[in-house]
Amino acid sequence: MESSDLGSRQQGPIWHRKPGPSARRGVIVNIIHSVKGYHSKTIRFLNVAFDSSGDFLLAGDHQGNIYVFDLNGNRFNLVQRTTQACTALAFNLRRKTEFLVALADYSIKCFDIETKELVSWMRGHDSSVSSISVHGSGRYAITTSSDTAQLWDLDTFQRKRKLNVRQSVGIQKVFFLPLSNTILSCFKDNSVFAWEFDTLHCKYQLPTPVEGSALLYKVFAVTRDGRIFVAGGKSNQLHLWCLESRKLIRIIQMPAKVRAVRHLEFLPDSFDGGSNQVLGVLSQDNIMRFINIETCKLLFEIGSHEEGISTAAISPNGRYIASVMENGSLNLYSVQALTQEGNQPPPPTFKVVEDWSKCRSEANKLTMRVTSGRSERPWKSKGSKIQSRLLKMQVNTSLENKENELPGGLNKKRLRTLLKGFGEYPAKYRMFVWRSLLQLPENHLAFSSLIDKGTHSAFVNIQNEYPIKSQKLLRVLQRTLSALAHWSAIFAETPYIPLLAFPFVKLFQNNQLICFEVVATVVVNLCQHWFEYFPNPPVNILSMMENVLAHHDKELLQHLIKYNVTSQVYAWPLLETLFSEVLTREEWLKVFDNIFSNHPSYFLMIVIAYIICSRAPLLHCNQIEDFEYFFHHRNNLDINVVIKEAYHLMETTPLDIHPQRVLDDFIPLTKGQYPVFNKYPKFIVDYQTQEQERIRQDEIEYLRERQLAHELEAKAQERKAEDEAWYRKQELLQEAEEQRRKMLLEEEEKLVEQRQRLAAVKRELKVKELQFLDASRRRFLKYQQDQRQMELKRLDDEIARKATMREQETAAALQDVEVQRMELESQRQVFEQVAEENLTKAEQKRIDANWRLRALHKLRGDDQDREKRYEEIAKLLHDNRVKEAELLKAMREAEEKTWEEVIQKKAQLEQEQKAAAAADEHRKQFLEDKMNDALELAEKLQREDGCFERPRDLKAGRTGRGVELQQVPRSGNICLNDLSPSQSSSHMSLDRRGEDLVLQERELMAEVRRLRQKLTSQARTRHPPARFPATKWTP
């Protein structure tokens, strides 16, 4: 036995090397939690629980540490530290990663395994929670304490209902029944009630136990199918109740050393369909004994006086048993190792047979004692070794027949030899051997065509008839049965075909093609002539089996006939279920190893052998219900003896009654397409199909009409309720109206009285108000007089102040006007100076132009030269005039801006502005007169000289200056100073009038030059001239 110490580790492996099935006493590993330090100690485990798969184990210790053990992955993990002892544990069936834990502070907490976080905290109990039961849907849970039981919604973690009892009647346990919506509550007064989960109405109460029984129920257990209920307490007796019939069906008496029962739990099995037959009983001596409730035989036990068990839990898959030991450690047992015969002690040599049928009381009639009924070891003789040795020599020396050759290189004869030597095929190669023996064709296309037809209508709601937890297994079963129904119509009408196919579906659920072909091969070969009397059982086959039983065990047959037990009771249940109800998985596999290796008649012989080997308990049965129960539940039989007996029957049965005479040899399925299966009364099947279709249509119509009737009834009830509510509301309204009317009358009377009192008060207030108004009026008049006097005084002060301000403003305005007049005078003087300068410039330009004209006239002799010079001089004159116009324009703009500012600032000075405008007009007229005088002087000089042929060009108005500007090319700044000395000398030589004219002309020219230079310098400082290219004179 390997031991694992968790210590301070939070995760790690459970065991370093997992023990095999031959482990001592079936213990896989012993888990302890020790704390090392100054005072080393071991922390005790208190509770354990398995999840729905049976692969995860939840364990809580005394200090509140919660561990999760992954038995398949060989890992443990510390998922929570609650710091207080736990009293109950359970997994959440809906959310697999959540679990519930009841703590010592009477609260229940929900934690998540992966995140290790608190999901919810539920409070409401006033005492320690002893058990937690989770509904099969995983949505609800029931927690039980000694004084109350509470129903919780695991989606919202809110309490839905609460069960309260009197203090004198305590609660033992409240839990959900499997596969149903029933809640079972067990109380300390031995009363057991069943409640409907949806409505919480009491469905029934189990009757009081039989008289004379002093058993007080303490512990309880229910089978996985929810049919059998077992109760125990401070006694060595166990009461078995059938919840369907609500009757006490059996009282099991444990051995004398058992004085009290502390814990009960059923051991599940894969092939029992939920009707568990093995019950684990933990007694006061800390030993857990596992018994068969049908045969009342002790199968095995765990624990001892030295290593006692305080509590235990069994995994739902039936593979492990977890027990909390008295020393605080945790033991994990392998059920497979415990059930192996080699690990069990030899059977006792002394047995006592007691006849309990003579007891008078009902309790004694139901009571059965648990005896040591261990199965005998497989019988081996010395000759077996010799026989196997001879067979081996024969195999090595002889040639094999072709008919014994099987696919895959196997030989049927060799396989039979191997089977006889070892009793079964190796588990590792069993499926391969079966496929070879059955010679499966593996018709993929044909099977796909059957699957493509979909689910057959007969098996659409198969989950209602066969509630299988595994959805995958249910889908495979549904597809296999649908394929069989599409292959042959008889299988859609056969009620036992799911029972027949289920073991193979569970065995081959990962390969649906092989599963279908195995079931089809079994139907074609093992079920020969079964459907000839459809829908009745195969009477011909059952009669044949009855003949064989009569030949080999006539006494047993007579006993069966005596109690009207026909072959349909003792043979047909074994045939239609293929032994799946009465055998364990290992036994069933061993049986079909032999069935597939022999003639199809061997299947019938093994049924008869099972009956003959069970003759001892059958001879003690005297009620038809006992016989039926026997052939539908597991029994304590050695399957090796049954197989050996079947071979004996095959050899010793006469040929005239031998089934081999009627049944054909093994015929495998054909390749490519499956054979036609029509060995049944077709008209009956067709008629049943039509009837079922008609019934289905009628049922649909009935359901539709019932739904319509329910809807109409619901509407009528709703309308009736609405009418009643309306009438009730009207009555209430009338009563309320009457009450309001009375209240209004009372209020009106009170109001009249209040009005009278109010009128008196108003009169008094009116008098006081008039007096107050008179005083207020007098005070207000005095106040108005004072205000008017103050206002007059203030007006006088304001008038004086405004007069002073007006005088000051008038003086300031006069000063401003004087300043403005002075400014205008200065501006007029400036303008006059500018005008004089402009006149001087114009005169200078006129003199320069005359001088140039005369100089050009002197220099040129012909008319062409005179014309060119004239044009140049005209252009120069035009430029001067343009510049004069620009200067005048600038002066006008400056004057306009100035006058605009004056107009905006001083609107009252319009007269001065008119005078300035008149002065401006006079100045403009003066300038024009001067310009006209200059032009007339120039014309006079030109006429006197006679140098120009067209003097009218000099008189051109201002409108013609633009044309002259286009004709005269631009040049740089040209003045009279630019003339060369040679030109000056030629000009001086042209004097025709005398010395006076020459002198005047020279003085005038000198004055013009000075004025010209002064104007040019001023213009350059104000407006820098543009750069023009130099102009060159050409002859």
Side-chain angles (χ1 to χ4, degrees):
M1 178 180 65
E2 183 174 351
S3 179
S4 176
D5 187 0
L6 303 182
S8 60
R9 296 180 299 166
Q10 294 189 3
Q11 59 182 358
I14 305 174
W15 54 74
H16 297 285
R17 184 176 182 182
K18 185 177 181 180
S22 61
R24 184 174 67 88
R25 293 178 298 176
V27 180
I28 298 177
V29 65
N30 173 252
I31 303 172
I32 61 175
H33 185 196
S34 63
V35 178
K36 295 180 180 181
Y38 183 75
H39 295 288
S40 299
K41 63 178 180 179
T42 300
I43 301 176
R44 298 171 55 84
F45 284 100
L46 297 180
N47 290 281
V48 290
F50 282 96
D51 70 337
S52 59
S53 65
D55 296 330
F56 288 89
L57 175 65
L58 196 66
D61 60 19
H62 186 70
Q63 291 187 353
N65 299 315
I66 310 296
Y67 291 89
V68 172
F69 298 91
D70 183 0
L71 303 181
N72 279 346
N74 185 25
R75 301 288 297 176
F76 78 89
N77 190 12
L78 175 62
V79 294
Q80 197 55 236
R81 298 180 187 269
T82 60
T83 67
Q84 51 184 326
C86 64
T87 59
L89 293 170
F91 273 96
N92 191 331
L93 301 181
R94 174 177 287 187
R95 295 178 289 274
K96 305 297 183 182
T97 61
E98 294 181 2
F99 66 91
L100 303 173
V101 53
L103 302 174
D105 62 352
Y106 312 150
S107 65
I108 303 99
K109 292 184 179 181
C110 180
F111 295 100
D112 192 283
I113 294 176
E114 295 180 351
T115 62
K116 300 182 181 180
E117 294 179 354
L118 177 65
V119 178
S120 181
W121 193 347
M122 296 172 283
R123 293 179 177 271
H125 284 279
D126 297 328
S127 58
S128 178
V129 177
S130 58
S131 68
I132 301 175
S133 176
V134 182
H135 190 261
S137 63
R139 183 175 179 182
Y140 300 98
I142 294 178
T143 56
T144 307
S145 60
S146 60
D147 57 348
T148 183
Q150 300 187 13
L151 176 65
W152 303 89
D153 188 340
L154 296 184
D155 286 343
T156 61
F157 295 101
Q158 299 294 325
R159 184 174 66 186
K160 307 296 289 185
R161 301 297 284 271
K162 182 179 181 180
L163 175 64
N164 294 317
V165 295
R166 298 192 302 272
Q167 294 181 356
S168 59
V169 181
I171 299 176
Q172 291 286 8
K173 190 176 183 180
V174 180
F175 56 93
F176 290 104
L177 283 183
L179 307 179
S180 68
N181 284 334
T182 304
I183 300 175
L184 212 62
S185 59
C186 309
F187 301 93
K188 291 183 179 180
D189 60 353
N190 278 13
S191 59
V192 179
F193 291 86
W195 310 83
E196 184 66 35
F197 171 66
D198 298 330
T199 60
L200 292 179
H201 294 318
C202 183
K203 294 175 64 176
Y204 58 85
Q205 178 186 1
L206 294 183
T208 307
V210 294
E211 298 179 359
S213 175
L215 175 61
L216 293 178
Y217 294 161
K218 296 290 185 183
V219 290
F220 313 91
V222 181
T223 56
R224 302 287 173 173
D225 58 3
R227 296 180 179 178
I228 303 299
F229 171 70
V230 183
K234 292 184 178 181
S235 172
N236 65 343
Q237 292 183 353
L238 301 175
H239 286 188
L240 266 70
W241 293 86
C242 179
L243 296 180
E244 293 181 344
S245 61
R246 306 167 192 173
K247 294 181 180 179
L248 181 65
I249 59 174
R250 185 167 302 163
I251 298 177
I252 300 176
Q253 184 175 357
M254 297 297 293
K257 52 188 174 182
V258 176
R259 298 188 302 275
V261 179
R262 295 170 50 189
H263 183 69
L264 292 173
E265 191 162 359
F266 278 97
L267 178 65
D269 191 273
S270 303
F271 289 93
D272 58 8
S275 58
N276 312 128
Q277 297 182 2
V278 180
L279 176 65
V281 182
L282 178 61
S283 56
Q284 89 289 343
D285 57 358
N286 301 327
I287 298 176
M288 193 168 187
R289 299 170 176 86
F290 288 83
I291 63 172
N292 189 306
I293 61 175
E294 299 297 330
T295 61
C296 297
K297 301 297 181 182
L298 178 62
L299 303 179
F300 60 90
E301 60 186 29
I302 59 176
S304 62
H305 295 288
E306 295 79 12
E307 298 179 357
I309 299 175
S310 63
T311 185
I314 302 176
S315 62
N317 56 14
R319 296 173 58 187
Y320 304 103
I321 301 174
S323 64
V324 177
M325 312 304 290
E326 285 293 322
N327 58 8
S329 63
L330 182 64
N331 273 8
L332 188 65
Y333 295 88
S334 171
V335 176
Q336 181 183 2
L338 292 171
T339 54
Q340 281 187 351
E341 299 173 0
N343 291 335
Q344 300 174 2
T349 57
F350 181 80
K351 296 182 180 179
V352 178
V353 177
E354 296 181 3
D355 188 5
W356 290 87
S357 62
K358 296 180 181 180
C359 297
R360 297 179 180 178
S361 65
E362 182 182 355
N364 291 336
K365 289 181 181 180
L366 295 173
T367 304
M368 295 183 66
R369 287 191 174 183
V370 175
T371 60
S372 178
R374 305 181 187 276
S375 302
E376 298 180 359
R377 296 174 180 272
W379 177 80
K380 293 184 179 180
S381 63
K382 295 181 179 179
S384 62
K385 296 182 179 180
I386 301 173
Q387 184 179 3
S388 62
R389 192 181 303 115
L390 292 176
L391 286 172
K392 186 175 180 180
M393 292 173 58
Q394 184 178 0
V395 168
N396 293 333
T397 56
S398 62
L399 297 175
E400 314 212 3
N401 251 335
K402 290 185 178 179
E403 62 182 11
N404 291 326
E405 293 293 336
L406 296 174
L410 300 180
N411 184 276
K412 185 181 291 186
K413 196 172 182 180
R414 290 183 179 180
L415 291 176
R416 288 177 182 172
T417 303
L418 180 66
L419 185 61
K420 288 182 179 180
F422 294 94
E424 60 180 338
Y425 293 125
K428 185 177 181 181
Y429 302 103
R430 177 177 278 119
M431 300 300 105
F432 173 70
V433 172
W434 282 15
R435 292 168 63 180
S436 299
L437 287 172
L438 299 179
Q439 302 178 30
L440 302 180
E442 299 185 13
N443 299 328
H444 292 276
L445 295 178
F447 178 71
S448 298
S449 64
L450 294 176
I451 291 295
D452 293 341
K453 293 181 180 180
T455 304
H456 198 275
S457 59
F459 304 109
V460 172
N461 298 320
I462 191 174
Q463 67 274 4
N464 298 332
E465 188 175 358
Y466 300 98
I468 302 175
K469 290 184 179 180
S470 175
Q471 294 298 321
K472 176 184 177 183
L473 191 61
L474 181 63
R475 288 195 299 270
V476 175
L477 177 63
Q478 192 177 43
R479 290 177 183 176
T480 304
L481 296 178
S482 299
L484 289 171
H486 291 310
W487 176 41
S488 180
I490 184 65
F491 299 122
E493 310 298 332
T494 307
Y496 56 84
I497 197 66
L499 300 175
L500 186 144
F502 180 73
F504 298 104
V505 170
K506 192 167 185 180
L507 200 61
F508 297 98
Q509 58 181 321
N510 294 325
N511 194 332
Q512 299 182 31
L513 171 64
I514 299 301
C515 177
F516 169 78
E517 292 188 347
V518 168
V519 175
T521 304
V522 168
V523 170
V524 170
N525 291 278
L526 302 185
C527 303
Q528 297 182 37
H529 309 290
W530 279 27
F531 308 100
E532 294 177 358
Y533 294 91
F534 182 81
N536 299 314
V539 180
N540 50 350
I541 300 297
L542 297 177
S543 300
M544 188 190 319
M545 297 174 65
E546 189 172 352
N547 294 333
V548 175
L549 180 61
H551 177 76
H552 291 283
D553 197 339
K554 194 170 185 179
E555 180 185 359
L556 178 59
L557 181 61
Q558 291 298 329
H559 178 75
L560 297 175
I561 294 173
K562 177 182 177 181
Y563 294 102
N564 296 324
V565 180
T566 62
S567 57
Q568 296 186 17
V569 176
Y570 64 80
W572 181 236
L574 302 178
L575 291 175
E576 66 178 356
T577 61
L578 299 182
F579 292 95
S580 61
E581 288 185 345
V582 298
L583 297 179
T584 62
R585 175 187 175 90
E586 291 74 16
E587 293 174 346
W588 188 86
L589 293 173
K590 188 181 295 186
V591 166
F592 270 85
D593 284 343
N594 291 273
I595 292 174
F596 289 153
S597 301
N598 291 279
H599 191 272
S601 59
Y602 182 80
F603 176 51
L604 304 181
M605 289 300 185
I606 203 166
V607 174
I608 301 170
Y610 184 86
I611 298 170
I612 293 174
C613 292
S614 305
R615 70 188 312 272
L618 290 176
L619 290 176
H620 286 84
C621 296
N622 52 14
Q623 295 182 3
I624 187 66
E625 291 82 5
D626 295 340
F627 288 103
E628 292 177 352
Y629 189 85
F630 183 86
F631 289 105
H632 282 281
H633 294 80
R634 291 184 186 173
N635 304 288
N636 190 21
L637 280 181
D638 188 353
I639 198 62
N640 295 320
V641 177
V642 176
I643 293 172
K644 183 179 178 182
E645 180 65 22
Y647 279 110
H648 176 71
L649 295 178
M650 286 287 291
E651 296 175 357
T652 59
T653 302
L655 293 177
D656 56 340
I657 61 173
H658 201 293
Q660 192 171 359
R661 180 176 59 86
V662 179
L663 302 181
D664 298 332
D665 293 337
F666 178 80
I667 301 174
L669 299 178
T670 57
K671 289 187 176 294
Q673 293 293 333
Y674 296 116
V676 177
F677 189 85
N678 55 2
K679 297 178 181 180
Y680 58 87
K682 191 172 185 301
F683 67 95
I684 294 179
V685 175
D686 295 343
Y687 175 75
Q688 282 195 351
T689 304
Q690 295 175 1
E691 286 298 311
Q692 288 184 357
E693 182 64 23
R694 184 182 62 78
I695 292 171
R696 189 174 67 84
Q697 295 295 335
D698 293 345
E699 184 178 2
I700 294 174
E701 183 66 21
Y702 166 73
L703 292 175
R704 188 180 63 80
E705 293 179 356
R706 188 177 69 177
Q707 181 67 22
L708 183 60
H710 285 335
E711 292 178 357
L712 293 175
E713 183 179 0
K715 289 182 179 179
Q717 293 292 337
E718 184 179 359
R719 190 178 298 107
K720 182 179 179 181
E722 291 178 355
D723 294 342
E724 292 179 355
W726 187 81
Y727 283 117
R728 192 180 305 110
K729 187 176 180 181
Q730 294 300 321
E731 292 176 358
L732 294 175
L733 289 174
Q734 291 177 358
E735 294 177 358
E737 184 179 0
E738 188 67 25
Q739 293 178 358
R740 297 295 187 278
R741 188 177 295 107
K742 292 180 180 179
M743 293 172 62
L744 286 174
L745 291 175
E746 294 175 356
E747 292 294 330
E748 285 179 358
E749 293 176 356
K750 293 179 180 178
L751 187 60
V752 169
E753 295 177 358
Q754 290 178 359
R755 284 177 179 175
Q756 293 175 357
R757 289 194 298 269
L758 184 63
V761 172
K762 281 184 177 180
R763 284 193 297 272
E764 294 178 359
L765 291 175
K766 191 69 175 178
V767 172
K768 292 181 179 179
E769 184 180 359
L770 291 174
Q771 295 175 357
F772 176 76
L773 286 175
D774 190 17
S776 298
R777 188 180 299 108
R778 287 194 298 270
R779 187 170 62 242
F780 183 71
L781 290 175
K782 185 177 180 303
Y783 173 76
Q784 282 185 343
Q785 291 175 0
D786 296 340
Q787 286 293 109
R788 286 177 180 176
Q789 291 177 1
M790 292 176 64
E791 185 70 21
L792 290 173
K793 186 178 180 180
R794 186 169 56 250
L795 289 174
D796 293 339
D797 296 340
E798 184 71 18
I799 289 170
R801 186 177 62 81
K802 287 186 176 181
T804 305
M805 289 179 62
R806 188 178 296 110
E807 292 175 356
Q808 294 176 357
E809 288 178 356
T810 303
L814 292 174
Q815 292 177 0
D816 291 341
V817 169
E818 185 66 22
V819 171
Q820 290 293 332
R821 188 183 63 74
M822 293 173 66
E823 288 179 356
L824 291 174
E825 185 65 23
S826 63
Q827 289 180 0
R828 185 179 62 79
Q829 294 176 2
V830 171
F831 289 153
E832 289 177 355
Q833 292 177 2
V834 172
E836 292 177 357
E837 291 178 358
N838 290 337
L839 291 174
T840 304
K841 290 179 183 178
E843 186 66 22
Q844 179 65 31
K845 288 181 180 180
R846 185 182 62 78
I847 294 170
D848 291 342
N850 293 332
W851 183 82
R852 285 182 182 237
L853 289 173
R854 288 194 299 270
L856 290 173
H857 182 72
K858 299 286 184 177
L859 294 174
R860 299 195 179 179
D862 53 353
D863 294 338
Q864 185 176 1
D865 292 339
R866 284 197 308 270
E867 185 67 20
K868 289 180 181 180
R869 300 302 179 188
Y870 170 75
E871 291 176 356
E872 290 177 0
I873 291 170
K875 288 178 182 180
L876 291 175
L877 182 61
H878 181 69
D879 291 341
N880 291 333
R881 297 295 173 86
V882 169
K883 289 180 181 180
E884 290 176 1
E886 290 176 356
L887 180 59
L888 289 174
K889 184 177 181 181
M891 290 170 64
R892 289 174 182 175
E893 290 177 356
E895 290 173 355
E896 290 175 357
K897 289 181 181 180
T898 302
W899 285 113
E900 287 176 358
E901 291 176 358
V902 172
I903 290 170
Q904 293 177 357
K905 292 180 181 179
K906 301 292 180 179
Q908 65 271 18
L909 302 179
E910 293 181 357
Q911 295 178 359
E912 284 82 358
Q913 290 178 354
K914 291 180 180 180
D920 187 65
E921 290 293 333
H922 182 268
R923 187 169 50 256
K924 289 181 181 179
Q925 185 65 33
F926 175 76
L927 291 175
E928 289 180 359
D929 295 337
K930 290 293 181 180
M931 289 177 67
N932 291 331
D933 294 339
L935 290 173
E936 290 175 358
L937 180 61
E939 290 178 356
K940 183 178 180 181
L941 292 174
Q942 289 173 0
R943 283 194 302 268
E944 290 176 355
D945 292 340
C947 300
F948 292 63
E949 294 181 357
R950 294 181 296 177
R952 61 184 177 273
D953 294 333
L954 294 175
K955 296 180 181 180
R958 294 176 182 178
T959 58
R961 291 173 184 175
V963 177
E964 293 173 356
L965 183 61
Q966 293 178 359
Q967 294 175 356
V968 178
R970 291 181 179 271
S971 63
N973 295 328
I974 303 173
C975 62
L976 298 177
N977 296 332
D978 295 334
L979 296 175
S980 61
S982 60
Q983 292 176 346
S984 299
S985 61
S986 61
H987 176 268
M988 295 300 296
S989 62
L990 296 176
D991 187 8
R992 295 182 180 180
R993 293 187 176 179
E995 291 294 330
D996 295 334
L997 184 59
V998 171
L999 291 174
Q1000 291 176 2
E1001 190 173 58
R1002 287 179 180 177
E1003 290 175 356
L1004 182 61
M1005 290 298 293
E1007 187 68 21
V1008 169
R1009 287 192 191 99
R1010 283 193 302 270
L1011 291 174
R1012 180 65 178 171
Q1013 289 175 0
K1014 186 177 180 180
L1015 291 174
T1016 303
S1017 62
Q1018 291 178 359
R1020 285 179 179 177
T1021 55
R1022 293 179 182 179
H1023 304 286
R1027 299 294 179 180
F1028 294 97
T1031 304
K1032 185 177 181 181
W1033 291 89
T1034 57

